[in-house]
Each structure stands twice: as structure tokens, then as C-alpha cells.
């Protein structure tokens, strides 16, 4: 059965709007776990715009499911990951001016750097996932640098509005999921997934985990964190 990992960065975004101490992402993680998710994701950005080092340290001690640290392949953050030891690190590209991660990591173009960071994280006993666009070249490169998983970028799929575009992007994700699984990589998907567009992906049997943040946080504002997570868990696991 597929897993749901919940990204709680936006709780920290709300806290940082006042540079205060509420709402606390640590509380959000505990409630998301009560809602039945299988893991918690945070992105420690180099500019620390939302998640802070303190959050990561406390979450490492309190999370009872699995902690996935999203991060740029940057030396400072790699050193932090090796000290904190999340269960998984997901390598993403990072641009300071972006609102959110805009595209997959170019593993082909940054082969040596990614290979080196994967080896360092493996040396610390941490699994590594690479966030990649749905192309066979990036997936082959992910396998070549010895990543454990790929997280296929679903941003273009999520933004598609016309049926022909939705069909094309679904097929591309399905093809890549099949390819990645065939070369021994665990398959995850994420970016822009919500309560409406997830349905088409749940028939892709190779998808082991969904990584979802914004839509769950948006719903949690109105119905509460635990319920928002529980509702997404039932979609991911096809529970009716
Ligand atoms: N996966 C990755 C690699 C991301 O960078 C993000 C955004 O932080 C997500 C998944 C979650 O995307 P969303 O917030 O749109 O659900």
C-alpha cells in the first residue's frame, strides 16, 4: 500500500511571518502523525525562510514515523544532515528567488556533485531520494549515482487543465515510474498534488510514496490538521 509523507514547511512559513513561536511545526508533525501519515518532510532551505535548525533538531527527536529532509546538495546542509541523521534526504535544486521548488534536480548536468553528496549521505547511514523531472535520462542518472529513490516531479501534471495535457503528463509519470522501478529505484511523487488530482495517479502501482504539503496545509486551516491528513491518507491508500 502506498505511503503518504506530509510536508509541514508552510506551518513554519506562518510562524516566520511574525518571527515568533507559533504555530509550531513540531505540533503540526505530531498531529499529522495522529492523522495516519507515514512520514514527515521538511525543507531546510539555505536562506532559512521557513524551517529553522531548531525545528529539525526537535523533529528528529519527536517524529515516530519517518523524517525526510529536503535539501539542496550544498556543503553546509549536507553537514547538518550528517549530524541530525534524517531517515531520508531528498536532494532538490534551490533558487533563492523561487516561491517553491520549481523543477527537478538536473542529475545529468551535476553528476559529480550529486554522486559525491549521495556517497556522503550513505556514509552517514541515510537513504537518498532525488527529486527529478519525469525523464528517462534523469532516472538513469539517479540510478548511476546510486540513489535509493527518485521522487518524480508532478508539477507540470498538477498544473495541467486540458484533458489532453493531463493525459500526456499522467502517461509520462507512469512511464517514468515503471522505468525507475525497473532499474531498482523506489518511486515517489510530489509537487502540486491535491485532493482532486491525486486520483489519477493512485492506479500507478509503482508509486510507493506521495509527498504532499500545500494542499493538506490549506485544508488544515479549515478542518484541522488531523482530519486534513486523514482525508488524504484515505485517497492515497484508496480507502473508501
Ligand atoms: N516534493 C518536493 C521535492 C518539494 O519541493 C515540495 C514542495 O516543498 C513538495 C514535494 C510538496 O509540494 P506541495 O507543497 O505542492 O504539495
Amino acid at each position: 500500500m502506498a505511503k503518504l509523507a506530509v510536508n509541514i514547511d508552510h506551518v513554519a512559513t506562518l510562524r516566520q511571518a511574525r518571527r515568533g513561536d507559533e504555530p509550531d511545526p513540531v505540533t503540526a508533525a505530531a498531529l499529522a502523525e495522529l492523522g495516519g501519515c507515514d512520514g514527515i518532510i521538511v525543507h531546510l532551505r539555505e536562506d532559512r525562510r521557513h524551517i529553522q535548525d531548531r525545528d529539525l533538531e526537535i523533529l528528529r527527536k519527536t517524529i515516530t514515523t519517518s523524517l525526510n529532509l529536503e535539501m539542496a546538495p550544498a556543503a553546509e546542509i549536507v553537514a547538518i544532515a550528517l549530524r541530525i541523521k534524517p531517515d531520508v534526504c531528498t536532494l532538490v535544486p534551490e533558487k533563492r528567488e523561487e516561491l517553491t521548488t520549481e523543477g527537478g534536480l538536473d542529475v545529468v548536468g551535476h553528476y559529480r556533485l550529486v554522486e559525491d553528496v549521495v556517497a556522503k549521505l550513505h556514509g552517514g547511514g541515510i537513504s537518498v531520494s532525488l527529486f527529478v523531472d519525469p525523464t528517462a535520462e534523469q532516472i538513469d542518472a539517479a540510478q548511476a549515482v546510486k540513489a535509493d529513490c527518485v521522487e518524480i516531479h508532478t508539477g507540470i501534471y498538477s498544473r495541467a487543465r486540458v484533458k489532453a495535457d493531463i493525459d500526456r503528463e499522467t502517461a509520462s509519470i507512469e512511464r517514468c515510474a515503471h522505468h525507475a522501478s525497473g532499474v531498482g529505484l523506489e518511486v515517489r511523487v510530489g509537487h502540486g498534488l491535491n485532493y482532486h488530482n491525486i486520483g489519477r495517479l493512485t492506479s500507478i502501482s509503482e508509486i510507493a510514496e506521495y509527498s504532499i504539503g500545500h494542499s493538506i496545509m490549506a485544508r488544515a486551516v479549515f478542518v484541522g490538521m488531523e482530519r486534513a491528513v486523514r482525508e488524504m491518507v484515505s485517497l492515497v491508500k484508496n480507502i473508501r
Side-chain angles (χ1 to χ4, degrees), residues 31 35 195 219 222-232:
L31 291 170
Y195 296 82
R219 184 169 292 214
F222 300 115
V223 305
M225 184 68 68
E226 193 184 332
R227 178 167 152 196
V229 170
R230 200 171 292 289
E231 288 174 1
M232 188 61 87

Side-chain angles (χ1 to χ4, degrees), residues 14 16 28 32 35 41 60 70 79 88 93 98 110-111 117 122 144 152 172 188 198 206-208 210 212:
L14 189 54
Q16 295 311 109
I41 307 170
R60 176 63 296 178
E70 234 181 72
V88 187
E98 69 192 356
H110 300 96
Y111 190 92
V117 171
H122 278 168
I152 298 172
S172 149
R188 302 172 173 201
I198 193 155
E206 288 91 352
I207 298 176
Y210 293 79
I212 307 180

Side-chain angles (χ1 to χ4, degrees), residues 156-200:
I156 299 173
Y157 164 77
S158 300
R159 283 193 300 275
R161 291 290 169 270
V162 178
K163 184 171 181 306
D165 294 344
I166 298 170
D167 288 348
R168 188 192 59 238
E169 293 308 319
T170 309
S172 149
I173 293 166
E174 184 160 21
R175 204 166 41 245
C176 286
H178 188 67
H179 182 69
S181 173
V183 298
L185 291 160
E186 183 180 313
V187 180
R188 302 172 173 201
V189 289
H191 218 283
L193 297 177
N194 61 37
Y195 296 82
H196 307 290
N197 64 22
I198 193 155
R200 285 183 67 114

